Amino acid sequence: MRLVVEKRTVASRRFSVAVRVASVAAALLTMAAVFAGYGLDPVRVYGGIFSKAFGTPVGLAETVVRMIPLLLISSGLALVFKAQFWNIGAEGQFLAGAMAAFVVATSLPDLPPHLLIPLMFAVGFLAGAAWGVPTAFMRAKLNVNEVITTLMFTYILDWIFQWTLSGPWKARETVGQLTYSGFRHSVVITENAWLPLIEGTRVHWPTLALAVAAAIAAYLVVSRTTFGYELRVVGDNPEAARAAGISYSKVVSVGMIISGGLAGMAGVGELAGIQHRFTAEFLTGYGYDAIITAWLGGMNPVGLLVANFLLGGLVVGGDYLQIKFRLPGGMIDMFNGTILFFVLAFEFLLRYRIRIRR
Amino acid sequence: MQAELISSVLWIGLRSGTPLLLATVGEIYAERSGILNLGIEGMMIIGAFTAFAVGQATSSPWLAMAAAAAAGLAASLIHAFISIHLRGNQVVSGLALTMFGLGLTSVAGGTFVGAALPREARIIPSPLSEELAAIPVIGKALFDQDPFLYLSILISVLLWFVLYKTKLGIVIRSVGENPAAADALGVNVYAVRYACTALGGALAGMAGSYITLSLRPGWVENITAGRGWIAVALTIFALWDPLKAIAGSYLFGIVEAGTYNLQPLGFSQWLLNAIPYVLTVVILVAGATETMRKKMGAPAALGVPYVRGEK
């Protein structure tokens, strides 16, 4: 008797969902062991995360707040990952979008909201795309590894951003007759640029609507258009794509415009919907977290919605863990890494069948 | 004055090039065998923290370094298993390893943040010879370094020799270029790939230990600050050759050290902080242009899982 591994031609939809669920469950179990090793009761920790993130209307709303940027970014990433183009720099493209929107909001503070807000989103899209496109060019023309360049572009923009907060964009504060520049944060943007919220929550619904639309649109682009077809051929079989005359540089550039642009819009939403000004802690890692959900959810709007909703809840739960159990913030990174490991490991079952042969 | 400044830039440059060198040479081995490991940053910080923790507990820098190598190796095996046996996506697995390493060390190191490493646990520069170290400009950089730095050069040269001048080196390179042919000749492809990935992990762990034992003795979160990614870039820049990696790593370190002297000239420290990352993009483009000109590229089977009898 021995184990035989055979290639699987297709995996049924139900089986793929089951494998995904199993991989996340395995990651949660592994992390339970970590919590136990940390001297915490895993049941209490998970119970706490669950009731905090999903148990109350307030918690649910917060989970949706975290889901918004994740959904927007991961829709673009899932699309460009189809071409096997690894945009790891969504965090930087997110920041580029937010910074551009900040410039718009501070230079045109008197523009009415119904003009200013769409303008900010449009400019944010362009800025996110512009910060990403050079890496796509370098990949297409010089075969420069995009994993590194997209990440380096994030580091570079982050330092430029930190510089703006200690210089050009640093707010001057007035206390009585005294004006001084204190902490490293910018001015608050004009209220004309603030996004409307769902009553009693922090859910900035215009960005939520954009995110859902983006997830559906990205899916339709990939599954129904010529460009989507080209994207998939480039990803599955680059040789065939070349033979068929599909332009690699066009595919990855357009893919990058979409994914960088959506990340940029997510940055606009974060600035205009939640934070309203820049602080040194503006970035919280949505651009990296979205890599996981893009991989987990795949190019499927329902999958993306579920994956991002769950990860949004995990982010909310992570904040809770920090406060309640004084766990370091890095616990979430560890969670994310573990989930990805198990998702990858379990994918083996989607591609191969293991049989016992006598 | 001028000579003194250059001398100190060179001295610091070689020091900051050392973790880059070890990690790059490790990645060269992994990639030469066909395994793309983007988890260097993760393995490096696991090594950095392990070295800090062991150094604090035992006050023995060499024990700390060995423990860091073992920890880096252990972390690399996760990636190796997913890439080799489970045939998973190597890009995503490497990213997962980086996230995992950054998270793990943040969790484990939580209570140590800001702690310095006791003096006896550090690796401290000591001149090879007082007379040579007194040579102007280059003396201090070449002859007044710590033993770890000289060891890293020795390791790199040795690994270059193995890769290009021994049968084992041919085996490793053939596994990365054409695993099916190597397999047909009786080479155990999986074993070679595991061994090379593990070596890469051990060297990344050692690279991390140099940061906490010598470069910045102490512990803060994210202490590797993207050096692992710079090593991935240097691997390409060095055209997968350990000797060129020596040149590339030190060049990088020296330019980085040099930029810090621009601050008194009125450049913002925040902007200067971005320079290593700009430089990384520059060397990637330079490396890519070079590979195109010489028509030599990455190992042909890089990132492709090997399955006997499957295309």
Side-chain angles (χ1 to χ4, degrees), chain B residues 125-285:
Chain B
S126 58
L128 283 183
S129 112
E130 298 284 352
E131 293 92 65
L132 289 173
I135 299 173
V137 185
I138 57 165
K140 191 169 159 62
L142 293 182
F143 304 108
D144 190 9
Q145 297 284 8
D146 58 57
F148 197 153
L149 187 144
Y150 297 119
L151 178 69
S152 69
I153 301 177
L154 215 63
I155 291 175
S156 307
V157 174
L158 183 74
L159 287 176
W160 167 82
F161 183 82
V162 170
L163 196 57
Y164 286 102
K165 305 287 171 193
T166 67
K167 184 154 176 273
L168 179 61
I170 297 172
V171 167
I172 291 171
R173 285 184 286 144
S174 69
V175 165
E177 292 294 337
N178 191 342
D183 191 8
L185 292 172
V187 173
N188 185 337
V189 172
Y190 282 15
V192 170
R193 288 189 164 176
Y194 267 103
C196 288
T197 311
L199 176 64
L203 289 173
M206 277 174 74
S209 78
Y210 189 75
I211 300 171
T212 40
L213 296 176
S214 181
L215 214 51
R216 311 244 182 292
W219 175 253
V220 286
E221 260 181 47
N222 198 16
I223 196 170
T224 44
R227 286 187 181 85
W229 294 104
I230 296 172
V232 178
L234 281 168
T235 302
I236 300 163
F237 180 70
L239 306 175
W240 297 270
D241 176 343
L243 281 190
K244 294 199 179 86
I246 299 179
S249 305
Y250 289 150
L251 186 68
F252 196 100
I254 289 166
V255 175
E256 192 189 354
T259 57
Y260 282 96
N261 292 294
L262 297 173
Q263 204 184 354
L265 302 178
F267 290 91
S268 155
Q269 184 56 49
W270 301 102
L271 292 178
L272 291 178
N273 282 340
I275 286 183
Y277 311 112
V278 176
L279 201 59
T280 305
V281 175
V282 171
I283 65 159
L284 268 178
V285 170

Side-chain angles (χ1 to χ4, degrees), chain A residues 233-245:
Chain A
V233 178
V234 162
D236 292 343
N237 193 339
E239 312 264 297
R242 206 168 307 133

Side-chain angles (χ1 to χ4, degrees), chain B residues 54-111:
Chain B
V54 173
Q56 239 196 4
T58 65
S59 290
S60 159
W62 298 102
L63 206 60
M65 188 182 95
L73 188 152
S76 75
L77 290 180
I78 307 175
H79 178 72
F81 181 63
I82 289 178
S83 308
I84 300 168
H85 267 106
L86 298 182
R87 304 155 203 174
N89 185 298
Q90 297 179 18
V91 174
V92 183
S93 172
L95 285 174
L97 185 51
T98 291
M99 287 181 189
F100 180 78
L102 291 171
L104 177 70
T105 53
S106 149
V107 170
T111 52

Side-chain angles (χ1 to χ4, degrees), chain A residues 21-353:
Chain A
V21 171
S23 59
V24 174
L28 292 179
L29 272 177
T30 308
M31 287 305 289
V34 173
F35 291 131
Y38 220 74
L40 299 172
D41 176 5
V43 177
R44 267 189 67 211
V45 172
Y46 282 132
I49 294 180
F50 190 85
S51 62
K52 201 78 197 165
F54 308 113
T56 63
V58 179
L60 271 176
E62 266 314 286
T63 298
V64 171
V65 167
R66 311 306 166 104
M67 181 192 79
I68 294 169
L70 290 174
L71 182 59
L72 205 41
I73 301 170
S74 62
S75 303
L77 291 183
L79 178 140
V80 81
F81 286 175
K82 277 277 165 203
Q84 302 271 340
F85 182 89
W86 306 106
N87 176 13
I88 307 304
E91 187 86 347
Q93 294 139 22
F94 174 92
L95 181 57
M99 288 172 77
F102 179 81
V103 172
V104 172
T106 44
S107 8
L108 302 166
D110 299 324
L111 216 59
H114 67 274
L115 293 177
L116 182 57
I117 290 172
L119 183 65
M120 283 164 68
F121 274 113
V123 171
F125 182 94
L126 291 177
W131 196 249
V133 159
T135 61
F137 272 129
M138 285 190 261
R139 174 72 171 86
K141 299 296 175 204
L142 291 167
N143 201 21
V144 172
N145 186 322
E146 76 280 9
V147 176
I148 315 171
T149 51
T150 50
L151 194 71
M152 291 300 120
F153 269 56
T154 299
Y155 280 116
I156 293 166
L157 191 63
D158 192 15
W159 284 119
I160 295 175
F161 171 68
Q162 299 294 340
W163 167 72
T164 64
L165 285 188
S166 15
W169 286 359
K170 190 170 177 182
R172 309 205 39 96
E173 292 174 51
T174 316
V175 178
Q177 306 232 306
L178 227 72
T179 308
Y180 70 100
S181 55
F183 294 106
R184 296 182 55 237
H185 55 63
S186 74
V187 294
V188 174
I189 54 172
T190 166
E191 284 197 32
N192 285 350
W194 291 19
L195 297 178
L197 305 177
I198 291 178
E199 191 74 26
T201 70
R202 299 201 300 160
V203 176
H204 41 117
W205 59 263
T207 328
L208 177 60
L210 277 173
V212 173
I216 297 169
Y219 166 72
L220 292 177
V221 165
V222 169
S223 59
R224 304 281 157 84
T225 66
T226 316
F227 172 70
Y229 171 75
E230 292 178 349
L231 201 71
R232 281 179 285 142
V233 178
V234 162
D236 292 343
N237 193 339
E239 312 264 297
R242 206 168 307 133
I246 297 172
S247 158
Y248 181 80
S249 47
K250 185 198 116 189
V251 168
V252 298
S253 302
V254 176
M256 183 46 122
I257 288 172
I258 296 172
S259 78
L262 292 180
M265 289 174 103
V268 180
E270 185 68 13
L271 176 73
I274 303 283
Q275 308 211 18
H276 302 146
R277 66 170 181 184
F278 283 129
T279 63
E281 285 82 36
F282 183 76
L283 290 178
T284 53
Y286 286 126
Y288 301 114
D289 295 347
I291 297 168
I292 300 160
T293 52
W295 192 259
L296 191 59
M299 190 63 270
N300 172 319
V302 178
L304 283 175
L305 202 66
V306 172
N308 285 302
F309 183 69
L310 292 178
L311 198 69
L314 196 59
V315 175
V316 173
D319 290 350
Y320 162 77
L321 290 186
Q322 281 187 55
I323 298 160
K324 167 96 186 184
F325 297 100
R326 303 188 172 203
L327 286 176
M331 192 62 93
I332 284 293
D333 291 324
M334 209 174 149
F335 238 121
N336 288 342
T338 310
I339 293 175
L340 263 188
F341 277 141
F342 279 103
V343 171
L344 285 171
F346 277 62
E347 270 179 1
F348 183 76
L349 299 172
L350 294 180
R351 285 174 291 128
Y352 296 91
R353 194 193 296 276

